[in-house]
Amino acid sequence: MQCVTSTAFGPAELLHRLRARTTVSAVSPVTHIERVPAREGRTAPWPDWTDPAVRDAFTAQGVTTPWEHQAAAATLAREGTHVVLATGTASGKSLAYQLPALNALAEDPKATVLYLSPTKALAADQLRALRRLGLDGIRPATFDGDTPREEREWIRQHSRFVLTNPDMLHHSLLPGHGRWGVFLRRLRYVVIDECHTYRGVFGSHVAHVLRRLRRATARYGSSPTFVLASATSGDPAGSASRLTGLPVTAVTEDSSPSGAVTFALWEPPLLPPPDVSDSSDTSEAPPIRRSALRETADLLTDSVVAGTRTLAFIRSRRGAEVVASLARQSLNEAVPGLGDRVAAYRGGYLREDRRAIERALLSGELLGLASTNALELGVDLSGLDAVLICGYPGTRASLWQQAGRAGRSGREALAVLVARDDPLDTYLVHHPEAVFGSPVEATVLDPGNPYVLGPQLCCAASEAPLTEADLALFGEPAAAIAAQLVAEGVLRKRPSGWYWTHRGRPEVDLRGTGGAPVAVVEAATGRLLGTVDHGSSHAMLHPGAVHLHQGVSYVVDDLDLEDAIALVHQEEPDWTTHARDVTNLSVVNVRSYVDAGPVGLFLGEVDVTNQVVSYQRRRLRGGEVIDTRPLDLPVRELRTVAVWFTVSPPALVAAGIEPSEFPGALHAAEHAGIGLLPLIATCDRWDIGGLSTANHADTEAPTVFVYDGHPGGAGFAERAYDTAREWLRATREAIASCACDSGCPSCVQSPKCGNGNNPLNKPDAVKVLDTVLTALM
């Protein structure tokens, strides 16, 4: 293997080297540099209740004294107060919950602790940390989908510190609570790590899984203390209380030291216009910006050549594969074999593949890694020098969490946000105050969502009959939802409570993916390559789709949705695939509205139908469309919550928009509105959908809809309705300030548009939004 000597490049020098290699445009790609100063640490003495063996174990690992926030949170937990510690990345949140938990296990040889994390990688990292402490009698173990069945019984009987995830708690531990009765009876602490990730529909489901856990522990006579760890959050105590259903005290002042961070906002340059000297077409082609994926791949390449240990966060699984593949190719061209020091990491890999990559990164065998947000959370990646963030991750909390992966050992670090050609990213790199001058968001979740609460009540009833007291535990809407479930024949009401009427367990998907993951299998060998979530399978695994796995291309031969399997064969085509879909929407009811004369603003329930109907094949180099091929996939139906506005045709005409341009103007406003919504709501562009029409059947007016992409809604549309003026004003500014003439991915084109971004009218979209904002003033 080719070795690269680690360099002493500081963040400023490394950034200078990266900027120097940009030759596509004379304009600097760096739009802003923010320097976050270093911070001194403040320690506290070990709490006087600390068991000597526990203290000595931490001391042996180099922890001579805790930081003030660690001691404060640990003491609150020790006193039985439910607590959330919300401090920055690498601030040592683990010790804050390990200290009271391990102390309880040392004091009481029968006590137990349950640890929940949103990812398997984080749980595996915590297990390594616990084992390094070397405390006797703890027997920590991970209990997840990767745990061999022969080990599970031993863990139930002997482990006193079980590390698992909400999915396993939901699918295995709680339905089998009888087998876990001894563990639950002795449960002292429940640790919920990275609790800010439990948002939207997933967070709402997890909130009820935790209520089911509280119900089960009470059944066995225990009342554990909940200790939560979170990234910096807008309202950590409120979010943690909604998640657990308990009063929670927040500790938010970070007393740990941190190295200085140089944070750069990077906009890929515009490509030079094509040579049209031999063409008869005299029309000016719209400017094309270099793709964020290729820009990130080049930055990763240069960082590895410089000997800088770098992690690149990519928003999609496919994108992570593409960036790793491009970087490996460039490195091997420069120094044969150097590409072996770069890899991809994403969900859907087999367990042994994930663990091998994690070990290689920790050991330094890998210098560069292109990862999805699977490595965003608290896995200890000590020694990283730089982080590249390909595209705004959706929230400022995630942005800082990802940036904090670098410089974990206190050294100076470099973080670079590489903007995608997208309205929100373009807005942010030119408005740094929206990144660095705004507080992080509060976590949005809605346990009262009936599409979440109903299935969770069924799960609870299948575990043990529901009582009146139980319904109070699940919140005010629970009684009405239970009555509805009785009317549907799902539950049966008896004097002693509500009973589950079916023999099998309820089928409830916590993550809202719509079904079991689809297995990707190589047809010729039967080898399982990985999985893709059910909700993405129509667009990513349709027949003919190109699927990337660890840098190798496969083409899908067949997608069997009933058996959740996609058969593929290895092939290196010179084209990529892009699915196209058709969406229809009908209004079910209106919850709230604002009558602003020619403009109406509404919030309500809608029914959305969606079908992937075709896919385009596009050249790898150049991106031109080769052809469009039809698909025959089933229609998907979704009842959710939407925000929408209507504008009367006379008002649009008065604004200077011709009736023939209504569709393009509204379509462009819809795209930009979806792109900018993550600025004010805790969501991702892919969490929401939209529809625009010059005359909707239900509103009888030109209308733009934006809806939550999850059954029952996820709270995003409500947030948009409540902050409509701020949201639409930012949308209008993003469109108007874009330098293009007729619309581009930086303002009104969407990467997920099922109509191929046609029609779009950028200037008239500004007029639409001006009309709406004037009326709403």
PDB file of all heavy atoms in Angstrom, residues 475-504:
ATOM      1  N   GLY A 475     -50.853  10.377  26.203  1.00  0.00           N
ATOM      2  CA  GLY A 475     -51.249  11.723  25.827  1.00  0.00           C
ATOM      3  C   GLY A 475     -52.740  11.893  25.650  1.00  0.00           C
ATOM      4  O   GLY A 475     -53.507  10.941  25.549  1.00  0.00           O
ATOM      5  N   GLU A 476     -53.151  13.149  25.568  1.00  0.00           N
ATOM      6  CA  GLU A 476     -54.571  13.507  25.529  1.00  0.00           C
ATOM      7  C   GLU A 476     -55.339  12.868  24.370  1.00  0.00           C
ATOM      8  O   GLU A 476     -56.472  12.428  24.543  1.00  0.00           O
ATOM      9  CB  GLU A 476     -54.701  15.031  25.471  1.00  0.00           C
ATOM     10  CG  GLU A 476     -56.128  15.526  25.497  1.00  0.00           C
ATOM     11  CD  GLU A 476     -56.214  17.038  25.456  1.00  0.00           C
ATOM     12  OE1 GLU A 476     -55.174  17.702  25.671  1.00  0.00           O
ATOM     13  OE2 GLU A 476     -57.308  17.562  25.194  1.00  0.00           O
ATOM     14  N   PRO A 477     -54.769  12.770  23.143  1.00  0.00           N
ATOM     15  CA  PRO A 477     -55.561  12.198  22.042  1.00  0.00           C
ATOM     16  C   PRO A 477     -55.757  10.689  22.136  1.00  0.00           C
ATOM     17  O   PRO A 477     -56.503  10.116  21.338  1.00  0.00           O
ATOM     18  CB  PRO A 477     -54.733  12.546  20.788  1.00  0.00           C
ATOM     19  CG  PRO A 477     -53.715  13.541  21.228  1.00  0.00           C
ATOM     20  CD  PRO A 477     -53.478  13.281  22.670  1.00  0.00           C
ATOM     21  N   ALA A 478     -55.089  10.020  23.089  1.00  0.00           N
ATOM     22  CA  ALA A 478     -55.071   8.553  23.104  1.00  0.00           C
ATOM     23  C   ALA A 478     -56.468   7.960  23.280  1.00  0.00           C
ATOM     24  O   ALA A 478     -56.794   6.938  22.656  1.00  0.00           O
ATOM     25  CB  ALA A 478     -54.133   8.057  24.204  1.00  0.00           C
ATOM     26  N   ALA A 479     -57.311   8.549  24.132  1.00  0.00           N
ATOM     27  CA  ALA A 479     -58.641   7.984  24.380  1.00  0.00           C
ATOM     28  C   ALA A 479     -59.483   7.985  23.106  1.00  0.00           C
ATOM     29  O   ALA A 479     -60.146   6.988  22.775  1.00  0.00           O
ATOM     30  CB  ALA A 479     -59.349   8.765  25.490  1.00  0.00           C
ATOM     31  N   ALA A 480     -59.446   9.094  22.365  1.00  0.00           N
ATOM     32  CA  ALA A 480     -60.222   9.174  21.125  1.00  0.00           C
ATOM     33  C   ALA A 480     -59.683   8.197  20.083  1.00  0.00           C
ATOM     34  O   ALA A 480     -60.453   7.552  19.355  1.00  0.00           O
ATOM     35  CB  ALA A 480     -60.190  10.594  20.582  1.00  0.00           C
ATOM     36  N   ILE A 481     -58.364   8.072  20.008  1.00  0.00           N
ATOM     37  CA  ILE A 481     -57.764   7.139  19.039  1.00  0.00           C
ATOM     38  C   ILE A 481     -58.109   5.701  19.417  1.00  0.00           C
ATOM     39  O   ILE A 481     -58.413   4.865  18.548  1.00  0.00           O
ATOM     40  CB  ILE A 481     -56.241   7.332  18.982  1.00  0.00           C
ATOM     41  CG1 ILE A 481     -55.895   8.726  18.476  1.00  0.00           C
ATOM     42  CG2 ILE A 481     -55.606   6.272  18.093  1.00  0.00           C
ATOM     43  CD1 ILE A 481     -56.322   9.010  17.067  1.00  0.00           C
ATOM     44  N   ALA A 482     -58.096   5.388  20.712  1.00  0.00           N
ATOM     45  CA  ALA A 482     -58.448   4.033  21.155  1.00  0.00           C
ATOM     46  C   ALA A 482     -59.890   3.712  20.783  1.00  0.00           C
ATOM     47  O   ALA A 482     -60.194   2.598  20.329  1.00  0.00           O
ATOM     48  CB  ALA A 482     -58.230   3.902  22.660  1.00  0.00           C
ATOM     49  N   ALA A 483     -60.803   4.681  20.965  1.00  0.00           N
ATOM     50  CA  ALA A 483     -62.203   4.465  20.586  1.00  0.00           C
ATOM     51  C   ALA A 483     -62.335   4.213  19.093  1.00  0.00           C
ATOM     52  O   ALA A 483     -63.118   3.356  18.645  1.00  0.00           O
ATOM     53  CB  ALA A 483     -63.039   5.677  21.004  1.00  0.00           C
ATOM     54  N   GLN A 484     -61.555   4.925  18.308  1.00  0.00           N
ATOM     55  CA  GLN A 484     -61.581   4.718  16.857  1.00  0.00           C
ATOM     56  C   GLN A 484     -61.062   3.329  16.500  1.00  0.00           C
ATOM     57  O   GLN A 484     -61.611   2.652  15.619  1.00  0.00           O
ATOM     58  CB  GLN A 484     -60.727   5.788  16.175  1.00  0.00           C
ATOM     59  CG  GLN A 484     -60.681   5.680  14.658  1.00  0.00           C
ATOM     60  CD  GLN A 484     -59.816   6.767  14.041  1.00  0.00           C
ATOM     61  OE1 GLN A 484     -59.601   7.818  14.632  1.00  0.00           O
ATOM     62  NE2 GLN A 484     -59.310   6.499  12.852  1.00  0.00           N
ATOM     63  N   LEU A 485     -60.025   2.872  17.188  1.00  0.00           N
ATOM     64  CA  LEU A 485     -59.474   1.538  16.933  1.00  0.00           C
ATOM     65  C   LEU A 485     -60.470   0.445  17.316  1.00  0.00           C
ATOM     66  O   LEU A 485     -60.539  -0.600  16.660  1.00  0.00           O
ATOM     67  CB  LEU A 485     -58.152   1.365  17.699  1.00  0.00           C
ATOM     68  CG  LEU A 485     -56.994   2.261  17.245  1.00  0.00           C
ATOM     69  CD1 LEU A 485     -55.817   2.146  18.220  1.00  0.00           C
ATOM     70  CD2 LEU A 485     -56.543   1.893  15.833  1.00  0.00           C
ATOM     71  N   VAL A 486     -61.249   0.702  18.364  1.00  0.00           N
ATOM     72  CA  VAL A 486     -62.303  -0.252  18.742  1.00  0.00           C
ATOM     73  C   VAL A 486     -63.365  -0.310  17.645  1.00  0.00           C
ATOM     74  O   VAL A 486     -63.823  -1.388  17.251  1.00  0.00           O
ATOM     75  CB  VAL A 486     -62.929   0.154  20.094  1.00  0.00           C
ATOM     76  CG1 VAL A 486     -64.175  -0.691  20.380  1.00  0.00           C
ATOM     77  CG2 VAL A 486     -61.908  -0.020  21.224  1.00  0.00           C
ATOM     78  N   ALA A 487     -63.762   0.854  17.134  1.00  0.00           N
ATOM     79  CA  ALA A 487     -64.769   0.899  16.066  1.00  0.00           C
ATOM     80  C   ALA A 487     -64.290   0.178  14.815  1.00  0.00           C
ATOM     81  O   ALA A 487     -65.091  -0.419  14.079  1.00  0.00           O
ATOM     82  CB  ALA A 487     -65.110   2.358  15.745  1.00  0.00           C
ATOM     83  N   GLU A 488     -62.989   0.201  14.573  1.00  0.00           N
ATOM     84  CA  GLU A 488     -62.429  -0.477  13.399  1.00  0.00           C
ATOM     85  C   GLU A 488     -62.187  -1.965  13.644  1.00  0.00           C
ATOM     86  O   GLU A 488     -61.772  -2.675  12.729  1.00  0.00           O
ATOM     87  CB  GLU A 488     -61.117   0.203  12.999  1.00  0.00           C
ATOM     88  CG  GLU A 488     -61.297   1.640  12.525  1.00  0.00           C
ATOM     89  CD  GLU A 488     -59.964   2.359  12.330  1.00  0.00           C
ATOM     90  OE1 GLU A 488     -58.916   1.743  12.642  1.00  0.00           O
ATOM     91  OE2 GLU A 488     -59.970   3.518  11.884  1.00  0.00           O
ATOM     92  N   GLY A 489     -62.413  -2.418  14.876  1.00  0.00           N
ATOM     93  CA  GLY A 489     -62.219  -3.823  15.191  1.00  0.00           C
ATOM     94  C   GLY A 489     -60.787  -4.215  15.469  1.00  0.00           C
ATOM     95  O   GLY A 489     -60.465  -5.400  15.582  1.00  0.00           O
ATOM     96  N   VAL A 490     -59.909  -3.223  15.597  1.00  0.00           N
ATOM     97  CA  VAL A 490     -58.494  -3.513  15.844  1.00  0.00           C
ATOM     98  C   VAL A 490     -58.255  -3.802  17.322  1.00  0.00           C
ATOM     99  O   VAL A 490     -57.475  -4.693  17.679  1.00  0.00           O
ATOM    100  CB  VAL A 490     -57.627  -2.333  15.371  1.00  0.00           C
ATOM    101  CG1 VAL A 490     -56.159  -2.594  15.665  1.00  0.00           C
ATOM    102  CG2 VAL A 490     -57.828  -2.094  13.881  1.00  0.00           C
ATOM    103  N   LEU A 491     -58.946  -3.048  18.196  1.00  0.00           N
ATOM    104  CA  LEU A 491     -58.902  -3.289  19.635  1.00  0.00           C
ATOM    105  C   LEU A 491     -60.287  -3.706  20.109  1.00  0.00           C
ATOM    106  O   LEU A 491     -61.303  -3.376  19.489  1.00  0.00           O
ATOM    107  CB  LEU A 491     -58.459  -2.029  20.387  1.00  0.00           C
ATOM    108  CG  LEU A 491     -57.047  -1.487  20.137  1.00  0.00           C
ATOM    109  CD1 LEU A 491     -56.783  -0.281  21.036  1.00  0.00           C
ATOM    110  CD2 LEU A 491     -55.982  -2.549  20.330  1.00  0.00           C
ATOM    111  N   ARG A 492     -60.321  -4.421  21.236  1.00  0.00           N
ATOM    112  CA  ARG A 492     -61.593  -4.826  21.845  1.00  0.00           C
ATOM    113  C   ARG A 492     -61.641  -4.228  23.256  1.00  0.00           C
ATOM    114  O   ARG A 492     -60.711  -4.383  24.046  1.00  0.00           O
ATOM    115  CB  ARG A 492     -61.698  -6.347  21.905  1.00  0.00           C
ATOM    116  CG  ARG A 492     -63.020  -6.835  22.516  1.00  0.00           C
ATOM    117  CD  ARG A 492     -63.108  -8.363  22.517  1.00  0.00           C
ATOM    118  NE  ARG A 492     -63.141  -8.886  21.151  1.00  0.00           N
ATOM    119  CZ  ARG A 492     -62.185  -9.635  20.619  1.00  0.00           C
ATOM    120  NH1 ARG A 492     -61.110  -9.938  21.329  1.00  0.00           N
ATOM    121  NH2 ARG A 492     -62.287 -10.076  19.377  1.00  0.00           N
ATOM    122  N   LYS A 493     -62.742  -3.521  23.566  1.00  0.00           N
ATOM    123  CA  LYS A 493     -62.891  -2.886  24.884  1.00  0.00           C
ATOM    124  C   LYS A 493     -63.559  -3.847  25.844  1.00  0.00           C
ATOM    125  O   LYS A 493     -64.601  -4.425  25.561  1.00  0.00           O
ATOM    126  CB  LYS A 493     -63.743  -1.614  24.744  1.00  0.00           C
ATOM    127  CG  LYS A 493     -63.998  -0.887  26.057  1.00  0.00           C
ATOM    128  CD  LYS A 493     -62.720  -0.218  26.562  1.00  0.00           C
ATOM    129  CE  LYS A 493     -63.018   0.748  27.704  1.00  0.00           C
ATOM    130  NZ  LYS A 493     -63.488   0.110  28.920  1.00  0.00           N
ATOM    131  N   ARG A 494     -62.929  -4.031  27.006  1.00  0.00           N
ATOM    132  CA  ARG A 494     -63.455  -4.840  28.094  1.00  0.00           C
ATOM    133  C   ARG A 494     -63.350  -4.031  29.387  1.00  0.00           C
ATOM    134  O   ARG A 494     -62.601  -3.049  29.446  1.00  0.00           O
ATOM    135  CB  ARG A 494     -62.667  -6.157  28.230  1.00  0.00           C
ATOM    136  CG  ARG A 494     -62.876  -7.109  27.055  1.00  0.00           C
ATOM    137  CD  ARG A 494     -64.285  -7.699  27.096  1.00  0.00           C
ATOM    138  NE  ARG A 494     -64.513  -8.669  26.024  1.00  0.00           N
ATOM    139  CZ  ARG A 494     -65.087  -8.388  24.880  1.00  0.00           C
ATOM    140  NH1 ARG A 494     -65.447  -7.133  24.631  1.00  0.00           N
ATOM    141  NH2 ARG A 494     -65.286  -9.313  23.973  1.00  0.00           N
ATOM    142  N   PRO A 495     -64.077  -4.407  30.446  1.00  0.00           N
ATOM    143  CA  PRO A 495     -63.994  -3.645  31.701  1.00  0.00           C
ATOM    144  C   PRO A 495     -62.563  -3.499  32.216  1.00  0.00           C
ATOM    145  O   PRO A 495     -62.229  -2.499  32.860  1.00  0.00           O
ATOM    146  CB  PRO A 495     -64.862  -4.469  32.667  1.00  0.00           C
ATOM    147  CG  PRO A 495     -65.837  -5.153  31.769  1.00  0.00           C
ATOM    148  CD  PRO A 495     -65.106  -5.471  30.515  1.00  0.00           C
ATOM    149  N   SER A 496     -61.724  -4.485  31.938  1.00  0.00           N
ATOM    150  CA  SER A 496     -60.349  -4.442  32.437  1.00  0.00           C
ATOM    151  C   SER A 496     -59.402  -3.682  31.521  1.00  0.00           C
ATOM    152  O   SER A 496     -58.226  -3.494  31.855  1.00  0.00           O
ATOM    153  CB  SER A 496     -59.820  -5.865  32.634  1.00  0.00           C
ATOM    154  OG  SER A 496     -59.930  -6.601  31.420  1.00  0.00           O
ATOM    155  N   GLY A 497     -59.889  -3.269  30.321  1.00  0.00           N
ATOM    156  CA  GLY A 497     -59.010  -2.504  29.445  1.00  0.00           C
ATOM    157  C   GLY A 497     -59.272  -2.773  27.979  1.00  0.00           C
ATOM    158  O   GLY A 497     -60.297  -3.345  27.584  1.00  0.00           O
ATOM    159  N   TRP A 498     -58.320  -2.345  27.160  1.00  0.00           N
ATOM    160  CA  TRP A 498     -58.400  -2.521  25.707  1.00  0.00           C
ATOM    161  C   TRP A 498     -57.451  -3.646  25.296  1.00  0.00           C
ATOM    162  O   TRP A 498     -56.274  -3.662  25.684  1.00  0.00           O
ATOM    163  CB  TRP A 498     -57.996  -1.235  24.991  1.00  0.00           C
ATOM    164  CG  TRP A 498     -59.000  -0.131  25.076  1.00  0.00           C
ATOM    165  CD1 TRP A 498     -59.934   0.211  24.146  1.00  0.00           C
ATOM    166  CD2 TRP A 498     -59.179   0.792  26.157  1.00  0.00           C
ATOM    167  NE1 TRP A 498     -60.683   1.279  24.571  1.00  0.00           N
ATOM    168  CE2 TRP A 498     -60.229   1.666  25.798  1.00  0.00           C
ATOM    169  CE3 TRP A 498     -58.539   0.988  27.391  1.00  0.00           C
ATOM    170  CZ2 TRP A 498     -60.669   2.692  26.632  1.00  0.00           C
ATOM    171  CZ3 TRP A 498     -58.973   2.000  28.216  1.00  0.00           C
ATOM    172  CH2 TRP A 498     -60.025   2.843  27.838  1.00  0.00           C
ATOM    173  N   TYR A 499     -57.954  -4.571  24.473  1.00  0.00           N
ATOM    174  CA  TYR A 499     -57.186  -5.755  24.099  1.00  0.00           C
ATOM    175  C   TYR A 499     -56.918  -5.761  22.590  1.00  0.00           C
ATOM    176  O   TYR A 499     -57.773  -5.379  21.792  1.00  0.00           O
ATOM    177  CB  TYR A 499     -57.950  -7.030  24.472  1.00  0.00           C
ATOM    178  CG  TYR A 499     -57.994  -7.308  25.954  1.00  0.00           C
ATOM    179  CD1 TYR A 499     -58.842  -6.569  26.795  1.00  0.00           C
ATOM    180  CD2 TYR A 499     -57.203  -8.288  26.526  1.00  0.00           C
ATOM    181  CE1 TYR A 499     -58.885  -6.801  28.156  1.00  0.00           C
ATOM    182  CE2 TYR A 499     -57.238  -8.546  27.890  1.00  0.00           C
ATOM    183  CZ  TYR A 499     -58.081  -7.788  28.699  1.00  0.00           C
ATOM    184  OH  TYR A 499     -58.124  -8.046  30.042  1.00  0.00           O
ATOM    185  N   TRP A 500     -55.740  -6.223  22.223  1.00  0.00           N
ATOM    186  CA  TRP A 500     -55.364  -6.424  20.821  1.00  0.00           C
ATOM    187  C   TRP A 500     -56.113  -7.648  20.304  1.00  0.00           C
ATOM    188  O   TRP A 500     -56.131  -8.702  20.953  1.00  0.00           O
ATOM    189  CB  TRP A 500     -53.851  -6.617  20.736  1.00  0.00           C
ATOM    190  CG  TRP A 500     -53.289  -6.994  19.396  1.00  0.00           C
ATOM    191  CD1 TRP A 500     -52.612  -8.131  19.082  1.00  0.00           C
ATOM    192  CD2 TRP A 500     -53.304  -6.207  18.201  1.00  0.00           C
ATOM    193  NE1 TRP A 500     -52.213  -8.124  17.777  1.00  0.00           N
ATOM    194  CE2 TRP A 500     -52.629  -6.946  17.195  1.00  0.00           C
ATOM    195  CE3 TRP A 500     -53.834  -4.960  17.870  1.00  0.00           C
ATOM    196  CZ2 TRP A 500     -52.461  -6.477  15.896  1.00  0.00           C
ATOM    197  CZ3 TRP A 500     -53.673  -4.492  16.578  1.00  0.00           C
ATOM    198  CH2 TRP A 500     -53.006  -5.241  15.602  1.00  0.00           C
ATOM    199  N   THR A 501     -56.740  -7.527  19.134  1.00  0.00           N
ATOM    200  CA  THR A 501     -57.655  -8.571  18.673  1.00  0.00           C
ATOM    201  C   THR A 501     -57.016  -9.595  17.744  1.00  0.00           C
ATOM    202  O   THR A 501     -57.642 -10.604  17.428  1.00  0.00           O
ATOM    203  CB  THR A 501     -58.853  -7.939  17.936  1.00  0.00           C
ATOM    204  OG1 THR A 501     -58.363  -7.182  16.828  1.00  0.00           O
ATOM    205  CG2 THR A 501     -59.642  -7.029  18.871  1.00  0.00           C
ATOM    206  N   HIS A 502     -55.806  -9.358  17.299  1.00  0.00           N
ATOM    207  CA  HIS A 502     -55.194 -10.264  16.323  1.00  0.00           C
ATOM    208  C   HIS A 502     -54.169 -11.175  16.988  1.00  0.00           C
ATOM    209  O   HIS A 502     -53.647 -10.880  18.063  1.00  0.00           O
ATOM    210  CB  HIS A 502     -54.534  -9.458  15.204  1.00  0.00           C
ATOM    211  CG  HIS A 502     -55.493  -8.594  14.443  1.00  0.00           C
ATOM    212  ND1 HIS A 502     -56.303  -9.066  13.445  1.00  0.00           N
ATOM    213  CD2 HIS A 502     -55.793  -7.270  14.563  1.00  0.00           C
ATOM    214  CE1 HIS A 502     -57.045  -8.078  12.964  1.00  0.00           C
ATOM    215  NE2 HIS A 502     -56.757  -6.977  13.637  1.00  0.00           N
ATOM    216  N   ARG A 503     -53.859 -12.272  16.328  1.00  0.00           N
ATOM    217  CA  ARG A 503     -52.908 -13.230  16.890  1.00  0.00           C
ATOM    218  C   ARG A 503     -51.470 -12.752  16.721  1.00  0.00           C
ATOM    219  O   ARG A 503     -50.635 -12.949  17.588  1.00  0.00           O
ATOM    220  CB  ARG A 503     -53.092 -14.591  16.224  1.00  0.00           C
ATOM    221  CG  ARG A 503     -54.504 -15.158  16.409  1.00  0.00           C
ATOM    222  CD  ARG A 503     -54.632 -16.545  15.834  1.00  0.00           C
ATOM    223  NE  ARG A 503     -53.885 -17.521  16.592  1.00  0.00           N
ATOM    224  CZ  ARG A 503     -53.892 -18.826  16.336  1.00  0.00           C
ATOM    225  NH1 ARG A 503     -54.615 -19.303  15.334  1.00  0.00           N
ATOM    226  NH2 ARG A 503     -53.191 -19.656  17.063  1.00  0.00           N
ATOM    227  N   GLY A 504     -51.165 -12.174  15.561  1.00  0.00           N
ATOM    228  CA  GLY A 504     -49.808 -11.686  15.337  1.00  0.00           C
ATOM    229  C   GLY A 504     -49.591 -10.303  15.919  1.00  0.00           C
ATOM    230  O   GLY A 504     -50.514  -9.658  16.415  1.00  0.00           O
TER     231      GLY A 504
END
